[in-house]
Amino acid sequence: THKRKHRKQAKRASTAREVNGSAHSHNHQITSQALTMAEQNQEEREFVHRPQLVSAKAPSRRYLSGGTASVHGAQVSEEEADAILQNFADADNTSQKTLSRMFVENFLMHKEWYFPKRPNAPSLSKAWAYYEHITLPRHFVGDNQASTVMRRSEPGEHEQDTELYSPFHTPQSSLIEWGTGVDLYFISLRFFAVIMLMAGLINVASIRYYDSSEYRGDTQLERKSILMRGSAICTNTDWVVCTDCKEDDWSSDPHRYATGLDPNGQNQTLVLRNFCPGGEVDSGITNFCTLIFLLITVGIFSFYLRLREIRFDEDKVTTTDYSVVVKNPPPDALDVDEWRDFFQQYADEQVTCVTIALNNEQLVRKLITRRIFRNQLRVILPKGVNLDDESAMRVAIDLYFREKKEEEVGCIGRLLECCVFPILRIFNMFLEPDVLVDKITTLTEEIKDLQNDKYDAAEVYITFETEEGQRAALSALTTGRVNVGMNNTGALAPGTIFRDRVLSVTEPPEPDAVRWLDLSASSFNKFLTRGISLALTVALVAVASISINAARSAVGPFLSGPLTTIWNNTIPLFIKITMIFERHADEGGRQASLYLKITLFRWMLTGVLVQIITPFTSTLGNGKTDLIPTIYAILLSDVWLSPLLRLMDINSNLNKHIFAPRAKTQEGMNLNFQGTFYNLGERYTDFTKVLFVTFFYSALFPASFFFGSVILTFQYIVDKYCLTRIWGWTPSIGSQLAEFSRRYFFSGSLLAFAVTSAYAFVQFPYDNICEDKSPITGLSGIYTNVLDADGDPVNTTGIVNMTNDESFVFCSQRWQDFDGFSFPPTSRLQTNEKSLGAKPDGNDLTWMSSFQEDLTMLYGWFAFVLVILFILVFFGRRSYTYFMSIFIGTYQPEGCSQHIDFSSNPEIYAYVPQIKYVGYPFPFLACDIDDIDQGLIGWNDPAHSYDYHNVIFDVPHKSLRRKERISRNTRNLTRIAEHEDYEENSNLMTVTSTEQTGVEVQQNASSASRGRPIYSLVKHYPPKWQIELSKKNQ
């Protein structure tokens, strides 16, 4: 069967290439060639669920759930699935097992405290086999292996030999099996790890300069690593007399301000001055050359990434290419045929699918919550208990509590019951069965009330048979926001007006990216929830900042550094919690919001916060709370602590080693081996955080480039290990996040490099002291009773040997104190003039050397040019497009049509309302799918029918076409309505036949008898060649 399947796929691929080769002469008529391809597609639909072409670019996927398995899309029984798992558990040899599994089987499985013995206990060996054969990714071996790519097998593959991907020997070329986004992420990690190393080598001259007597004089940085010695920490300091300095000017850094008696017994004000020359050739020019090097190499790499994305996506056709979405449909426009007829005028061939999404979010949410509670109850109670039989269920619950009372509980179990479960039950987790029954009963009544409400159309999705139809519709219907908002029907052609309404029509996201429960959220609601979420994120930044500052003040950077890393690794969880109430129409918007918030937190906490809370005059200090030691501690903790936390995988290990051994059913045990859900956006923020911190402080800490290289190397190794050994399966991830990072965060980090380095060199020597134009002389000598601003004696003795004979004056070197706009940061900051071209003269207090002034002029204006280019390139075009879209339509088709019909492509799907829920391998359906091709849904559970996952049958209602769900698998048929167990509600329905579809469809006998629909509507209009093929096969 495997060879038969692949022969047909190869034949179909050959036919598709022939069709594409004649694209320019293609007139979209039913040709014998297209009909041949249609027959092949239909034949395979009867044999396997919409298979993808077997290639490195698009591997096929199978899904398994709760210990079930599949045979090329066919249903297997629970006994067969159990036997397959048992065979996995028995057949795996030591070399094929993970280290965790071997350790558990050899040392822990037989310990009572780890795996409590009880009658009819599920098999932990099967659960680990489930984890390694279904959750973790595996690849084909032997004859089925591709030449250059380790082709990923479907979860649970048992007919062909497979192996786990090696975390160390899996080549970069095989990472495309996880999607282009993952491939581009790991390529970027490798590139920047190498580039950071090269940048560090370029900065060796700067590191040697900072560690030389030319910079630090005769002083040395004792007991510090070579990387710390190669920083701008200034130990060449001395006390000087300041004639106009005030204690308030040093309130944030009191140990640098003091008062004492000079040799004549007069009271003098003393301040600590830095004598380390910054912004010289070895440090300044080296840093500037590093910036030029990074701009060139990152620019070339970004161009390479773009070409790589094009290479991956140039032949990829998605549902979006065929579809449009109406954002403002009339509330009562609930007739799918009416929408089909309206958009048919733009169709090159026909409209193939119509989906009307209703604003029934509250109803669907309660149905899903009720289903989740029932699933929890089913896992707790013995197998076979009918949850719809209240008496049987109550008996089972009483039996459960009796057995629980008699069961011996170990120390871990008592700890969980005492400390963990009470907290988790607040979040409706690990609830007792009687509590679950009460909640289910309450939800049922609430659902019945909601089913009597009236629901309106929220959005309408139209899918054309050809790309030309979509492009024609968008070209004709796209108009300015003003016309849509004011319903200016006179601004458009009469044929484009639907029910006297100007439609807002755009290109939709992909079907699996639509957030069906957020479509009807108002703009005000979205703005409010996002504002609240952002405010909570800012509050989290404040809390983290306070805790880190307290740790740094009390203990030092070697506590605040790891604490910063811990905050950076735990913050995604907190931000996800704050985003629970955010409303986004598509997953891309939500991911972007999450990405921006996590990036804001990590960049602020790791980079900007340290700069803010460190006193200006402590920038070059060597104390425990000074700037550079704090950055050193943060980078050092990122080297070891951040990867260690990911490898520990606390949540997943709790599930596998604590909750799984105590599960009462095999299905419940298997669900604890689902693997850790990973978010590629979160991994990108960790990546760009390293770039930002390294670039932000490169002028003062050039050795940070070596830290960055080591951190990114470890991140590549650890994330690759997690990808193959820890993280669970997720859908293939596209290049959107990679493009977003490349466009904004890579360039933004380089922009931060230029701007912060320019400001770093303009503020040297960071002591707020300048030479007096009319100095007092004769001040050298021994000063006694010298006390700092805190009243502590300086040098522990209170005695200072003053070597500087002349006095100095106060001058603020902080760019924030400049009287005017301080950007670009040039030598003009030494003046009191606001002109951009101002230069210091003899009347100005100056602190820069002549070379430092030249360097800051070069660096400041170069940074200014980069900022202008960044704004114009990355925001100018988008701002212009948005402004023009207010008044006119701005739609422009991208690329050329591939001339592949929608129905001829088995790898794309329709807009079928379904809701993904963490912890469940398959989405919940929330619409009537009886009359659509089941291959358009986008996934297949080989152990259950689609009705099993459809929540509309959970609480029956008169608007449903049928009340009973089909329990058996329906994938051997095109439509569920063709199944032998299908039984419509005869009181409300009639069976008719239409010439257009050529197949029997269910229609209302009386629309009044069913009332207004309460669930979203989906209708499929098969093309003519499918109808002919259906008649031929009958």
Side-chain angles (χ1 to χ4, degrees), residues 29-72:
Q29 295 179 351
I30 300 297
T31 64
S32 59
Q33 194 175 49
L35 187 57
T36 301
M37 181 168 63
E39 293 173 352
Q40 294 166 359
N41 287 340
Q42 180 64 21
E43 182 181 2
E44 288 197 0
R45 284 194 186 96
E46 296 176 355
F47 181 69
V48 61
H49 161 58
R50 292 177 69 88
Q52 295 181 339
L53 292 178
V54 178
S55 66
K57 177 181 177 181
S60 58
R61 296 286 184 260
R62 279 193 297 265
Y63 297 76
L64 283 84
S65 171
T68 61
S70 66
V71 182
H72 294 296

Short mmCIF file of all heavy atoms in Angstrom, two decimals, residues 29-72:
data_model
loop_
_atom_site.label_atom_id
_atom_site.label_comp_id
_atom_site.label_asym_id
_atom_site.label_seq_id
_atom_site.Cartn_x
_atom_site.Cartn_y
_atom_site.Cartn_z
N GLN A 29 -10.51 25.69 -18.45
CA GLN A 29 -11.59 24.79 -18.85
C GLN A 29 -11.26 23.38 -18.38
O GLN A 29 -10.10 23.04 -18.15
CB GLN A 29 -11.76 24.80 -20.38
CG GLN A 29 -12.21 26.17 -20.91
CD GLN A 29 -12.34 26.15 -22.41
OE1 GLN A 29 -11.94 25.20 -23.06
NE2 GLN A 29 -12.91 27.21 -22.95
N ILE A 30 -12.26 22.53 -18.27
CA ILE A 30 -12.05 21.16 -17.83
C ILE A 30 -11.43 20.38 -18.99
O ILE A 30 -12.08 20.09 -19.98
CB ILE A 30 -13.37 20.50 -17.41
CG1 ILE A 30 -14.00 21.29 -16.27
CG2 ILE A 30 -13.16 19.06 -16.99
CD1 ILE A 30 -13.14 21.29 -15.01
N THR A 31 -10.15 20.12 -18.86
CA THR A 31 -9.45 19.35 -19.88
C THR A 31 -9.30 17.91 -19.42
O THR A 31 -9.51 17.59 -18.26
CB THR A 31 -8.06 19.95 -20.13
OG1 THR A 31 -7.30 19.81 -18.93
CG2 THR A 31 -8.14 21.42 -20.50
N SER A 32 -8.93 17.06 -20.37
CA SER A 32 -8.73 15.67 -19.99
C SER A 32 -7.60 15.54 -18.98
O SER A 32 -7.64 14.68 -18.10
CB SER A 32 -8.42 14.85 -21.25
OG SER A 32 -7.24 15.33 -21.89
N GLN A 33 -6.60 16.41 -19.11
CA GLN A 33 -5.48 16.38 -18.18
C GLN A 33 -5.93 16.72 -16.77
O GLN A 33 -5.58 16.05 -15.80
CB GLN A 33 -4.43 17.37 -18.65
CG GLN A 33 -3.07 17.22 -17.99
CD GLN A 33 -2.07 18.15 -18.61
OE1 GLN A 33 -2.35 19.34 -18.77
NE2 GLN A 33 -0.93 17.64 -18.98
N ALA A 34 -6.73 17.76 -16.64
CA ALA A 34 -7.23 18.16 -15.33
C ALA A 34 -8.16 17.10 -14.77
O ALA A 34 -8.17 16.83 -13.57
CB ALA A 34 -7.96 19.50 -15.43
N LEU A 35 -8.96 16.49 -15.65
CA LEU A 35 -9.86 15.45 -15.18
C LEU A 35 -9.08 14.24 -14.68
O LEU A 35 -9.45 13.61 -13.69
CB LEU A 35 -10.80 15.03 -16.31
CG LEU A 35 -11.93 14.04 -15.92
CD1 LEU A 35 -12.77 14.63 -14.81
CD2 LEU A 35 -12.79 13.70 -17.13
N THR A 36 -7.99 13.92 -15.36
CA THR A 36 -7.14 12.83 -14.88
C THR A 36 -6.61 13.14 -13.49
O THR A 36 -6.63 12.29 -12.60
CB THR A 36 -5.96 12.62 -15.85
OG1 THR A 36 -6.46 12.31 -17.14
CG2 THR A 36 -5.05 11.50 -15.35
N MET A 37 -6.15 14.37 -13.29
CA MET A 37 -5.66 14.76 -11.97
C MET A 37 -6.79 14.72 -10.95
O MET A 37 -6.59 14.31 -9.81
CB MET A 37 -5.05 16.16 -12.03
CG MET A 37 -4.49 16.65 -10.70
SD MET A 37 -3.49 18.13 -10.90
CE MET A 37 -4.72 19.26 -11.51
N ALA A 38 -7.98 15.12 -11.36
CA ALA A 38 -9.12 15.10 -10.45
C ALA A 38 -9.44 13.68 -10.03
O ALA A 38 -9.76 13.41 -8.87
CB ALA A 38 -10.33 15.74 -11.12
N GLU A 39 -9.38 12.72 -11.02
CA GLU A 39 -9.64 11.34 -10.68
C GLU A 39 -8.61 10.80 -9.69
O GLU A 39 -8.95 10.08 -8.76
CB GLU A 39 -9.63 10.50 -11.97
CG GLU A 39 -10.79 10.82 -12.90
CD GLU A 39 -10.65 10.10 -14.23
OE1 GLU A 39 -9.58 9.48 -14.46
OE2 GLU A 39 -11.60 10.13 -15.03
N GLN A 40 -7.37 11.18 -9.90
CA GLN A 40 -6.34 10.75 -8.96
C GLN A 40 -6.60 11.33 -7.58
O GLN A 40 -6.45 10.64 -6.56
CB GLN A 40 -4.97 11.17 -9.47
CG GLN A 40 -4.57 10.47 -10.75
CD GLN A 40 -3.38 11.14 -11.41
OE1 GLN A 40 -2.88 12.14 -10.92
NE2 GLN A 40 -2.95 10.59 -12.52
N ASN A 41 -6.96 12.62 -7.53
CA ASN A 41 -7.25 13.24 -6.23
C ASN A 41 -8.39 12.53 -5.54
O ASN A 41 -8.35 12.25 -4.34
CB ASN A 41 -7.60 14.72 -6.41
CG ASN A 41 -6.37 15.54 -6.74
OD1 ASN A 41 -5.25 15.10 -6.49
ND2 ASN A 41 -6.58 16.72 -7.31
N GLN A 42 -9.46 12.26 -6.28
CA GLN A 42 -10.63 11.62 -5.68
C GLN A 42 -10.30 10.20 -5.24
O GLN A 42 -10.73 9.76 -4.18
CB GLN A 42 -11.78 11.61 -6.68
CG GLN A 42 -13.06 10.96 -6.15
CD GLN A 42 -13.62 11.71 -4.98
OE1 GLN A 42 -13.33 12.88 -4.79
NE2 GLN A 42 -14.42 11.06 -4.16
N GLU A 43 -9.51 9.48 -6.04
CA GLU A 43 -9.15 8.12 -5.68
C GLU A 43 -8.37 8.12 -4.38
O GLU A 43 -8.59 7.29 -3.51
CB GLU A 43 -8.31 7.50 -6.80
CG GLU A 43 -7.92 6.04 -6.53
CD GLU A 43 -7.07 5.48 -7.64
OE1 GLU A 43 -6.76 6.25 -8.58
OE2 GLU A 43 -6.72 4.31 -7.59
N GLU A 44 -7.49 9.09 -4.22
CA GLU A 44 -6.71 9.14 -2.99
C GLU A 44 -7.54 9.61 -1.82
O GLU A 44 -7.30 9.22 -0.68
CB GLU A 44 -5.50 10.05 -3.16
CG GLU A 44 -4.45 9.43 -4.05
CD GLU A 44 -3.11 10.11 -3.91
OE1 GLU A 44 -3.02 11.06 -3.12
OE2 GLU A 44 -2.17 9.69 -4.57
N ARG A 45 -8.55 10.44 -2.08
CA ARG A 45 -9.41 10.85 -0.97
C ARG A 45 -10.13 9.64 -0.39
O ARG A 45 -10.41 9.59 0.80
CB ARG A 45 -10.43 11.89 -1.45
CG ARG A 45 -9.83 13.28 -1.65
CD ARG A 45 -10.93 14.32 -1.78
NE ARG A 45 -10.39 15.60 -2.11
CZ ARG A 45 -10.30 16.09 -3.34
NH1 ARG A 45 -10.73 15.37 -4.35
NH2 ARG A 45 -9.79 17.28 -3.56
N GLU A 46 -10.46 8.69 -1.26
CA GLU A 46 -11.12 7.50 -0.75
C GLU A 46 -10.15 6.59 -0.02
O GLU A 46 -10.53 5.75 0.79
CB GLU A 46 -11.76 6.73 -1.92
CG GLU A 46 -12.88 7.53 -2.61
CD GLU A 46 -13.43 6.79 -3.81
OE1 GLU A 46 -12.88 5.72 -4.14
OE2 GLU A 46 -14.39 7.27 -4.42
N PHE A 47 -8.86 6.75 -0.31
CA PHE A 47 -7.87 5.85 0.26
C PHE A 47 -7.18 6.46 1.47
O PHE A 47 -6.87 5.77 2.43
CB PHE A 47 -6.84 5.53 -0.82
CG PHE A 47 -5.77 4.58 -0.34
CD1 PHE A 47 -6.06 3.26 -0.06
CD2 PHE A 47 -4.46 5.03 -0.19
CE1 PHE A 47 -5.07 2.40 0.37
CE2 PHE A 47 -3.48 4.16 0.24
CZ PHE A 47 -3.78 2.85 0.51
N VAL A 48 -6.93 7.76 1.44
CA VAL A 48 -6.19 8.40 2.53
C VAL A 48 -6.64 9.85 2.61
O VAL A 48 -7.04 10.45 1.63
CB VAL A 48 -4.67 8.32 2.26
CG1 VAL A 48 -4.29 9.02 1.01
CG2 VAL A 48 -3.87 8.88 3.45
N HIS A 49 -6.53 10.39 3.80
CA HIS A 49 -7.01 11.75 4.05
C HIS A 49 -6.11 12.79 3.42
O HIS A 49 -5.02 13.08 3.90
CB HIS A 49 -7.05 11.96 5.56
CG HIS A 49 -7.07 13.40 5.97
ND1 HIS A 49 -8.05 14.27 5.56
CD2 HIS A 49 -6.22 14.12 6.74
CE1 HIS A 49 -7.81 15.45 6.07
NE2 HIS A 49 -6.70 15.40 6.78
N ARG A 50 -6.49 13.36 2.30
CA ARG A 50 -5.81 14.47 1.63
C ARG A 50 -4.30 14.44 1.84
O ARG A 50 -3.73 15.29 2.51
CB ARG A 50 -6.37 15.81 2.12
CG ARG A 50 -7.80 16.05 1.68
CD ARG A 50 -8.34 17.33 2.25
NE ARG A 50 -7.70 18.50 1.67
CZ ARG A 50 -8.10 19.11 0.57
NH1 ARG A 50 -9.11 18.63 -0.11
NH2 ARG A 50 -7.49 20.18 0.13
N PRO A 51 -3.61 13.46 1.31
CA PRO A 51 -2.18 13.35 1.60
C PRO A 51 -1.40 14.50 0.97
O PRO A 51 -1.75 15.00 -0.08
CB PRO A 51 -1.80 12.02 0.96
CG PRO A 51 -2.75 11.89 -0.18
CD PRO A 51 -4.04 12.49 0.29
N GLN A 52 -0.30 14.87 1.63
CA GLN A 52 0.59 15.86 1.06
C GLN A 52 1.64 15.14 0.24
O GLN A 52 1.97 13.98 0.49
CB GLN A 52 1.25 16.68 2.16
CG GLN A 52 0.25 17.52 2.94
CD GLN A 52 0.96 18.33 3.99
OE1 GLN A 52 2.06 18.03 4.38
NE2 GLN A 52 0.31 19.38 4.43
N LEU A 53 2.20 15.83 -0.73
CA LEU A 53 3.26 15.23 -1.53
C LEU A 53 4.44 14.91 -0.63
O LEU A 53 4.85 15.72 0.20
CB LEU A 53 3.71 16.22 -2.63
CG LEU A 53 2.66 16.48 -3.71
CD1 LEU A 53 3.21 17.49 -4.69
CD2 LEU A 53 2.28 15.20 -4.43
N VAL A 54 4.98 13.73 -0.78
CA VAL A 54 6.10 13.31 0.05
C VAL A 54 7.36 13.97 -0.46
O VAL A 54 7.87 13.63 -1.52
CB VAL A 54 6.25 11.78 0.03
CG1 VAL A 54 7.44 11.35 0.87
CG2 VAL A 54 4.97 11.14 0.55
N SER A 55 7.85 14.94 0.26
CA SER A 55 9.06 15.65 -0.11
C SER A 55 9.63 16.30 1.13
O SER A 55 9.00 16.37 2.16
CB SER A 55 8.75 16.74 -1.16
OG SER A 55 7.94 17.74 -0.58
N ALA A 56 10.84 16.78 0.98
CA ALA A 56 11.46 17.46 2.13
C ALA A 56 10.75 18.76 2.42
O ALA A 56 10.69 19.22 3.54
CB ALA A 56 12.94 17.72 1.83
N LYS A 57 10.17 19.35 1.40
CA LYS A 57 9.51 20.64 1.59
C LYS A 57 8.18 20.50 2.29
O LYS A 57 7.82 21.31 3.12
CB LYS A 57 9.31 21.32 0.23
CG LYS A 57 8.58 22.65 0.32
CD LYS A 57 8.40 23.24 -1.06
CE LYS A 57 7.60 24.53 -1.00
NZ LYS A 57 7.38 25.12 -2.30
N ALA A 58 7.43 19.48 1.98
CA ALA A 58 6.09 19.35 2.53
C ALA A 58 5.86 17.93 3.01
O ALA A 58 5.27 17.12 2.32
CB ALA A 58 5.04 19.72 1.49
N PRO A 59 6.39 17.56 4.18
CA PRO A 59 6.19 16.21 4.68
C PRO A 59 4.75 15.98 5.06
O PRO A 59 4.03 16.90 5.43
CB PRO A 59 7.09 16.17 5.93
CG PRO A 59 7.15 17.59 6.37
CD PRO A 59 7.09 18.42 5.13
N SER A 60 4.32 14.75 4.94
CA SER A 60 2.96 14.41 5.32
C SER A 60 2.84 14.37 6.83
O SER A 60 3.81 14.23 7.55
CB SER A 60 2.56 13.06 4.72
OG SER A 60 3.46 12.07 5.14
N ARG A 61 1.61 14.46 7.34
CA ARG A 61 1.38 14.49 8.78
C ARG A 61 0.24 13.56 9.13
O ARG A 61 -0.77 13.48 8.43
CB ARG A 61 1.01 15.91 9.23
CG ARG A 61 2.13 16.92 9.03
CD ARG A 61 3.21 16.71 10.07
NE ARG A 61 4.24 17.72 9.94
CZ ARG A 61 5.38 17.50 9.32
NH1 ARG A 61 5.63 16.35 8.78
NH2 ARG A 61 6.28 18.47 9.26
N ARG A 62 0.38 12.84 10.22
CA ARG A 62 -0.71 12.08 10.79
C ARG A 62 -0.84 12.49 12.23
O ARG A 62 0.12 12.92 12.85
CB ARG A 62 -0.45 10.57 10.71
CG ARG A 62 -0.78 9.97 9.37
CD ARG A 62 -0.80 8.46 9.46
NE ARG A 62 0.47 7.92 9.82
CZ ARG A 62 1.37 7.48 8.95
NH1 ARG A 62 1.16 7.56 7.67
NH2 ARG A 62 2.52 6.96 9.37
N TYR A 63 -2.03 12.33 12.77
CA TYR A 63 -2.25 12.69 14.16
C TYR A 63 -2.69 11.45 14.91
O TYR A 63 -3.44 10.63 14.41
CB TYR A 63 -3.36 13.74 14.29
CG TYR A 63 -3.08 15.05 13.64
CD1 TYR A 63 -3.16 15.18 12.25
CD2 TYR A 63 -2.73 16.14 14.39
CE1 TYR A 63 -2.90 16.38 11.65
CE2 TYR A 63 -2.48 17.35 13.80
CZ TYR A 63 -2.57 17.46 12.42
OH TYR A 63 -2.32 18.65 11.84
N LEU A 64 -2.21 11.33 16.15
CA LEU A 64 -2.67 10.26 17.02
C LEU A 64 -3.07 10.88 18.34
O LEU A 64 -2.49 11.85 18.78
CB LEU A 64 -1.57 9.21 17.24
CG LEU A 64 -1.37 8.24 16.06
CD1 LEU A 64 -0.45 8.86 15.03
CD2 LEU A 64 -0.80 6.94 16.56
N SER A 65 -4.02 10.29 18.99
CA SER A 65 -4.53 10.86 20.22
C SER A 65 -4.79 9.77 21.23
O SER A 65 -5.41 8.77 20.93
CB SER A 65 -5.83 11.63 19.96
OG SER A 65 -6.44 12.00 21.15
N GLY A 66 -4.32 10.03 22.45
CA GLY A 66 -4.66 9.15 23.56
C GLY A 66 -4.37 7.70 23.31
O GLY A 66 -5.14 6.83 23.66
N GLY A 67 -3.24 7.42 22.70
CA GLY A 67 -2.84 6.02 22.52
C GLY A 67 -3.44 5.38 21.30
O GLY A 67 -3.51 4.17 21.19
N THR A 68 -3.89 6.14 20.33
CA THR A 68 -4.44 5.56 19.11
C THR A 68 -3.41 5.65 18.01
O THR A 68 -2.47 6.40 18.07
CB THR A 68 -5.72 6.30 18.69
OG1 THR A 68 -5.37 7.66 18.44
CG2 THR A 68 -6.76 6.22 19.77
N ALA A 69 -3.63 4.88 16.97
CA ALA A 69 -2.71 4.88 15.85
C ALA A 69 -3.50 4.82 14.57
O ALA A 69 -4.68 4.56 14.56
CB ALA A 69 -1.74 3.71 15.94
N SER A 70 -2.82 5.07 13.46
CA SER A 70 -3.49 5.07 12.17
C SER A 70 -2.73 4.22 11.19
O SER A 70 -1.55 4.00 11.30
CB SER A 70 -3.61 6.50 11.63
OG SER A 70 -2.33 7.00 11.34
N VAL A 71 -3.45 3.75 10.20
CA VAL A 71 -2.85 3.03 9.10
C VAL A 71 -3.21 3.79 7.83
O VAL A 71 -4.26 3.58 7.25
CB VAL A 71 -3.34 1.57 9.03
CG1 VAL A 71 -2.65 0.84 7.90
CG2 VAL A 71 -3.09 0.86 10.35
N HIS A 72 -2.35 4.74 7.45
CA HIS A 72 -2.59 5.57 6.26
C HIS A 72 -3.99 6.18 6.28
O HIS A 72 -4.72 6.15 5.30
CB HIS A 72 -2.38 4.75 5.00
CG HIS A 72 -0.97 4.33 4.82
ND1 HIS A 72 0.08 5.21 4.62
CD2 HIS A 72 -0.40 3.10 4.84
CE1 HIS A 72 1.21 4.54 4.51
NE2 HIS A 72 0.95 3.26 4.64
#
